[in-house]
């Protein structure tokens, strides 16, 4: 029997009091707002602590002065410091071996958790990702901490929501609040954090979500400021007032940013495939990648870590076009090698830095080829920064608000949003994934956005098919078929061989109107012989099969090898069930259900 002062006893009593005093504890109204504020404050404190620890690592390893940034250094103080990314890779390799021995599965991040698991996240996964991200960035790998930030914020939020037994959609909302708070604290940008939660984690903007997500973002930003978090303003002055007619070159820059983001994602995958083809074990890859990153760091430290200092330096100084272009290439290589070799982290901030460099390159080229266009380098840098980041991270509104909150300049909002939308459209229509969802795709997942597809996965062919189907031997002649299956007795019959093996679909009206000889076996008149469904298919895969074959009904077989007939599914029934579940999901997300 637990002691009276057992903390678990008090936790259960607190939950019982809350449930009894609030008729519906479903994370709505004041309860969810208070919980979101708590999550935001925790996220703000943890993000500030993680940032301070990594800065301390940079001070110890790279002699970065207090208040300085690793990527803002003009050169490494000692060439020996170029070894530290490899040492960090060695530590990561050891962690891979340790996790492999204990058979840990691949950690789940907030986007995947909300899309597939109803917001359920493991604190073990969370601490693994946070530790690996801090090692990666702390030892100089060209990755950002944002993945660790959102992981810790969302992981804590998920655990808190499940501790109070909140329902699925409420857990998802709090996970989004955790991610929103983390980004808001990292950039001192509440609107940016809020829309990161809306666009990338929750997957939908609704009135029911506004209060908790904004509360979490504001609470996180205030907490980070209270604990001494470093803000992210870009000091720009003298920017021109742009009219709509002057947007055209920047729309082109938006398309270039989208194309560059696609190239970056492919480049990371290419690096990964190179390591696989060379049969290099996953525990060794970070060490090898760290060697190359360290060598690039000898050329310029701007390629190391996330690039905060380098980005501010790029806006503060006016470098020549060849210098900017060379830094762009070096940073791109360092980021691709870091992620492709197995360092933990993300491309959020790296994409901002690369985009700013791309914008400056664009402005430099335009100044030489079309000087009459009058492209301002600072405006081009901001537009490039956001448009490339939209392609990599996703979320046009997130990046637009980041530009607004970091520059404090409303005049840029229109052109940044327009360029961001152009980038998002290009990536969506030609590539289809952001960096996060692209990496899920490489693992075999079908996630394209943060919208919860868990209900789609549970809505399987097996749960929708009809089992009362009529079959007939495939050797039956047409004349015998017409006697056994008179016109009007049904719409379709499935032709089978011995042991109910599928041969094809027989459409009753068509066989009665067919002018073939009566001795013709029905197998010769069967349709959709190679198109079948299996019970494990989800609604999306089944719908794609219907669309590809042009069929209105398909047989459901046990598997693709034996093809034992189990039932039948019509396209109309599938789409009706899909519409019902989609409508239910939308009602739940909007707070109506």
């Amino acid at each position: 029997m637990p002691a009276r002062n057992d903390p678990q006893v008090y936790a259960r009593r607190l939950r019982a009091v809350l449930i009894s005093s609030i008729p519906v504890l479903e994370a709505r109204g004041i309860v969810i707002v208070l919980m979101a504020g708590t999550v935001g404050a925790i996220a703000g404190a943890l993000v500030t602590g993680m940032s301070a620890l990594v800065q301390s690592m940079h001070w110890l390893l790279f002699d970065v002065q207090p208040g300085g940034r690793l990527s803002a250094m003009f050169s490494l103080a000692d060439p020996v410091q170029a070894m530290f990314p490899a040492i960090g890779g060695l530590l990561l390799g050891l962690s891979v071996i340790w996790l492999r021995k204990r058979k840990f599965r691949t950690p789940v991040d907030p986007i995947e958790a909300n899309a597939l698991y109803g917001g359920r996240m493991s604190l073990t996964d969370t601490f693994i990702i946070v530790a690996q991200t801090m090692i990666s960035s702390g030892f100089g790998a060209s990755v950002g901490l944002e993945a660790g930030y959102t992981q810790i914020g969302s992981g804590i939020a998920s655990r808190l929501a499940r501790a109070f037994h909140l329902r699925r959609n409420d857990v998802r909302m709090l996970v989004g609040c955790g991610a929103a708070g983390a980004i808001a604290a990292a950039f001192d940008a509440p609107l940016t954090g809020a829309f990161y939660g809306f666009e990338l984690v929750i997957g939908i903007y609704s009135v029911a979500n506004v209060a908790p997500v904004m509360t979490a973002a504001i609470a996180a930003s205030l907490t980070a400021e209270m604990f001494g978090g470093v803000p992210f303003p870009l000091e720009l002055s003298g920017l021109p007032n742009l009219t709509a007619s002057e947007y055209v070159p920047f729309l082109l820059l938006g398309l270039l940013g989208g194309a560059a983001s696609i190239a970056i994602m492919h480049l990371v995958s290419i690096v990964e495939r190179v390591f696989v083809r060379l049969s290099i074990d996953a525990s060794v890859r970070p060490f090898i990648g760290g060697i190359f990153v360290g060598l690039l760091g000898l050329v310029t430290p701007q390629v190391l870590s996330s690039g905060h200092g380098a980005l501010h330096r790029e806006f503060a100084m006016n470098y020549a076009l060849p210098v900017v272009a060379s830094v762009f290439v070096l940073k791109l290589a360092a980021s691709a090698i870091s992620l492709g070799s197995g360092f933990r982290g993300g491309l959020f901030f790296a994409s901002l830095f690369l985009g700013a460099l791309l914008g400056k390159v664009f402005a430099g080229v335009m100044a030489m080829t079309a000087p009459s266009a009058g492209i301002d380098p600072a405006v081009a840098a901001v537009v490039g920064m956001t448009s490339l980041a939209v392609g990599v991270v996703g979320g046009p509104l997130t990046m637009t608000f980041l530009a607004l909150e970091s520059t404090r300049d409303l005049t840029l909002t229109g052109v940044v949003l327009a360029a961001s939308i152009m980038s998002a459209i290009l990536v969506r229509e030609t590539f289809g994934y952001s960096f996060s969802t692209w990496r899920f795709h490489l693992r075999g997942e079908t996630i394209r956005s943060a919208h919860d597809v868990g209900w789609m996965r549970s809505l399987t062919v097996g749960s929708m098919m009809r089992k009362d189907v009529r079959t007939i031997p495939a050797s039956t002649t047409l004349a015998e078929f017409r006697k056994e299956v008179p016109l009007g007795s049904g719409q379709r019959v499935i032709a089978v061989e011995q042991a109910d093996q599928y041969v094809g679909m027989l459409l009753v009206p068509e066989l009665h109107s067919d002018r073939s000889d009566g001795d013709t076996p029905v197998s010769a008149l069967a349709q959709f012989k190679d198109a079948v469904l299996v019970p494990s298919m989800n609604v999306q895969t089944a719908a794609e099969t219907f669309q590809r074959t042009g069929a209105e009904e398909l047989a459901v077989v046990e598997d693709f090898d034996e093809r034992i007939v189990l039932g039948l599914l019509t396209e109309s029934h599938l789409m009706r069930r899909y519409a019902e579940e989609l409508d239910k999901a939308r009602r739940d997300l909007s707070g109506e259900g």
Side-chain angles (χ1 to χ4, degrees):
M1 183 174 182
R4 294 175 60 88
N5 58 352
D6 190 333
Q8 293 184 358
V9 174
Y10 287 119
R12 287 195 296 269
R13 289 176 180 173
L14 175 60
R15 187 161 57 242
V17 169
L18 286 172
I19 293 174
S20 62
S21 61
I22 302 172
V24 183
L25 185 59
E26 296 176 337
R28 290 189 172 88
I30 191 62
V31 174
I32 183 56
V33 172
L34 290 174
M35 294 181 74
T38 302
V39 166
I42 294 172
L46 292 174
V47 165
T48 305
M50 288 175 60
S51 177
L53 284 174
V54 170
Q55 285 297 102
S56 298
M57 293 174 68
H58 291 168
W59 172 70
L60 288 170
L61 300 176
F62 297 97
D63 295 327
V64 176
Q65 298 301 311
R69 293 279 186 173
L70 173 58
S71 59
M73 297 173 64
F74 287 95
S75 63
L76 294 178
D78 189 334
V80 175
Q81 294 171 343
M83 297 172 54
F84 287 126
I87 295 174
L90 185 61
L91 294 176
L92 276 184
L94 293 174
S95 72
V96 169
I97 295 173
W98 183 80
L99 293 172
R100 186 185 295 164
K101 287 183 176 180
R102 283 156 181 77
K103 298 181 180 180
F104 276 93
R105 59 178 176 79
T106 302
V108 174
D109 76 357
I111 295 176
E112 187 177 7
N114 263 13
L116 301 181
Y117 306 112
R120 297 179 66 88
M121 296 176 66
S122 163
L123 283 181
T124 302
D125 286 0
T126 294
F127 293 136
I128 289 172
I129 289 179
V130 167
Q132 290 182 334
T133 302
M134 292 178 65
I135 290 173
S136 299
S137 186
F139 278 84
S142 190
V143 294
L145 284 168
E146 290 76 23
Y149 291 160
T150 55
Q151 186 75 28
I152 192 70
S154 297
I156 295 296
S158 176
R159 188 67 188 88
L160 178 64
R162 289 186 289 118
F164 283 92
H165 302 289
L166 303 182
R167 26 182 250 183
R168 178 187 182 93
N169 287 324
D170 301 332
V171 177
R172 294 182 69 251
M173 185 190 296
L174 269 189
V175 168
C177 290
I183 295 299
F187 293 94
D188 189 25
L191 288 174
T192 301
F195 277 86
Y196 182 93
F198 291 136
E199 293 187 296
L200 300 174
V201 182
I202 299 174
I204 190 172
Y205 173 89
S206 69
V207 175
N209 294 340
V210 174
V213 175
M214 283 301 305
T215 299
I218 293 171
S221 184
L222 292 175
T223 303
E225 183 178 343
M226 181 178 66
F227 282 102
V230 179
F232 177 69
L234 296 176
E235 300 297 336
L236 303 178
S237 60
L239 296 179
N241 293 320
L242 298 173
T243 62
S245 61
E246 297 174 306
Y247 283 12
V248 176
F250 296 107
L251 296 181
L252 174 60
L253 177 56
L255 292 174
L256 290 175
S261 68
I262 295 173
I264 291 169
M265 289 183 273
H266 276 302
L267 184 58
V268 173
S269 299
I270 289 172
V271 174
E272 289 179 336
R273 288 199 296 270
V274 168
F275 279 108
V276 171
R277 289 180 181 177
L278 293 176
S279 300
I280 299 174
D281 190 79
S283 62
V284 182
R285 295 172 194 173
F287 174 72
I288 297 175
I291 293 175
F292 286 103
V293 173
L295 293 175
L296 293 174
L298 281 176
V299 180
T300 172
Q302 291 185 72
V303 305
L304 300 178
S305 196
S306 60
H308 280 74
L311 179 63
H312 284 274
R313 201 172 99 186
E314 196 61 43
F315 276 99
M317 304 181 74
N318 188 22
Y319 291 103
L321 178 59
V323 175
V324 177
S326 63
V327 173
F328 176 84
V329 173
L330 292 171
K331 179 64 177 179
L332 175 59
S335 296
I337 292 172
S338 296
L339 290 170
S341 63
F343 280 99
R344 176 72 69 175
L347 278 175
F348 191 115
F349 205 94
S351 65
L352 295 176
F353 180 38
L354 287 168
L357 294 171
L358 178 66
K360 285 216 166 183
V361 170
F362 177 79
V365 172
M366 289 293 290
M368 292 188 295
T369 58
S372 59
I375 303 296
D376 186 276
V379 175
V382 174
V383 172
M385 176 181 79
T386 52
S387 59
L388 194 149
V390 164
V392 172
V393 180
L397 289 176
T398 300
M399 295 306 163
T400 300
F401 281 115
L402 178 60
L404 172 63
E405 292 182 293
S406 60
T407 63
R408 311 291 199 263
D409 194 317
L410 283 170
T411 61
L412 289 175
T413 305
V415 68
V416 166
L417 180 59
S420 297
I421 291 174
M422 295 299 291
S423 174
I425 291 174
L426 177 67
V427 173
R428 183 70 183 181
E429 296 301 321
T430 62
F431 189 64
Y433 300 89
S434 67
F435 181 68
S436 297
T437 54
W438 169 239
R439 294 179 72 77
F440 297 147
H441 167 71
L442 295 178
R443 282 162 33 193
E445 296 289 355
T446 57
I447 307 171
R448 285 180 179 265
S449 71
H451 183 66
D452 188 359
V453 298
W455 62 268
M456 291 177 63
R457 289 172 176 257
S458 63
L459 191 61
T460 61
V461 167
S463 67
M464 294 184 288
M465 71 178 185
R466 287 176 47 196
K467 296 181 180 180
D468 55 334
V469 294
R470 186 171 183 177
T471 61
I472 196 168
S475 58
T476 304
T477 65
L478 181 59
E480 292 172 338
F481 177 85
R482 289 170 175 168
K483 291 180 181 180
E484 292 187 32
V485 188
L487 190 64
S489 62
Q491 292 294 318
R492 62 195 70 82
V493 177
I494 297 177
V496 295
E497 292 178 339
Q498 295 179 353
D500 288 336
Q501 289 182 314
Y502 177 76
V503 173
M505 185 75 66
L506 303 172
L507 302 183
V508 176
E510 292 189 11
L511 264 67
H512 275 273
S513 62
D514 194 281
R515 297 184 178 182
S516 300
D517 186 86
D519 293 330
T520 302
V522 293
S523 60
L525 305 175
Q527 301 184 29
F528 311 118
K529 296 181 179 180
D530 298 322
V532 292
L533 305 173
V534 294
S536 59
M537 281 183 173
N538 62 34
V539 63
Q540 181 180 6
T541 307
E544 291 172 353
T545 304
F546 276 111
Q547 183 178 9
R548 184 178 66 254
T549 61
E552 294 182 1
E553 55 274 310
L554 288 173
V556 182
V557 299
E558 186 173 338
D559 56 58
F560 290 116
D561 294 326
E562 298 296 331
R563 292 161 61 100
I564 305 299
V565 174
L566 299 178
L568 180 81
L569 181 63
T570 64
E571 185 181 26
S572 60
H573 180 65
L574 177 140
M575 298 310 295
R576 183 169 62 252
R577 287 294 312 278
Y578 172 81
E580 291 171 355
E581 294 295 331
L582 180 61
D583 183 61
K584 178 182 176 182
R586 286 174 174 169
R587 288 199 309 271
D588 288 342
L589 286 171
S590 62
E592 296 176 5

